[in-house]
């Protein structure tokens, strides 16, 4: 199904909730809220998040596809990793 999100969020729901409550930047707050909803399984698609934050679904997809190399939300690293069903060939440990 299109729009279903398959990512791993390293932060716990509690860490995301704490960061959400102290965040003052509205744009970052929306992004953390989206991560929190995903982590707690309240939403499962970009369309659902887009409707809740009143942004276009491609904007939400872009948020979730960006890698955050360091702390962007205060002390939160916002580590988002895409979930791969098949590891790349270069990940073979038998070679």
């Amino acid at each position: 199904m299109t729009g279903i999100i398959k990512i791993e969020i390293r932060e716990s729901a509690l860490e995301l909730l704490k960061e959400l409550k102290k965040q003052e930047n509205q744009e970052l707050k929306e992004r953390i809220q989206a991560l929190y909803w995903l982590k707690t399984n309240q939403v499962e698609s970009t369309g659902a998040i887009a409707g809740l934050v009143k942004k276009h679904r491609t904007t939400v997809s872009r948020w979730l596809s960006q890698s955050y190399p360091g702390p962007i939300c205060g002390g939160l690293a916002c580590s988002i990793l895409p979930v791969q069903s098949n590891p790349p060939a270069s990940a073979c440990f038998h070679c």
Side-chain angles (χ1 to χ4, degrees), residues 55-76:
K55 301 284 184 192
H56 196 274
R57 62 181 173 75
T58 57
T59 300
V60 174
S61 291
R62 189 174 55 247
W63 289 354
L64 297 173
S65 67
Q66 292 172 341
S67 60
Y68 303 107
I72 62 153
C73 328
L76 187 66

Side-chain angles (χ1 to χ4, degrees), residues 3 37 42-53 57:
W37 286 329
Q42 294 180 39
V43 295
E44 64 177 25
S45 70
T46 54
I49 295 170
L52 292 168
V53 296
R57 62 181 173 75

Side-chain angles (χ1 to χ4, degrees), residues 21-88:
K21 288 181 179 182
K22 73 177 186 179
Q23 186 57 248
E24 294 179 10
N25 181 315
Q26 185 61 35
E27 185 176 323
L28 291 177
K29 193 170 193 169
E30 289 174 343
R31 292 177 186 208
I32 296 168
Q33 180 71 64
L35 293 173
Y36 178 75
W37 286 329
L38 288 168
K39 187 68 172 188
T40 58
N41 296 317
Q42 294 180 39
V43 295
E44 64 177 25
S45 70
T46 54
I49 295 170
L52 292 168
V53 296
K54 306 219 182 323
K55 301 284 184 192
H56 196 274
R57 62 181 173 75
T58 57
T59 300
V60 174
S61 291
R62 189 174 55 247
W63 289 354
L64 297 173
S65 67
Q66 292 172 341
S67 60
Y68 303 107
I72 62 153
C73 328
L76 187 66
C78 294
S79 306
I80 301 174
L81 303 173
V83 174
Q84 294 182 332
S85 56
N86 296 320

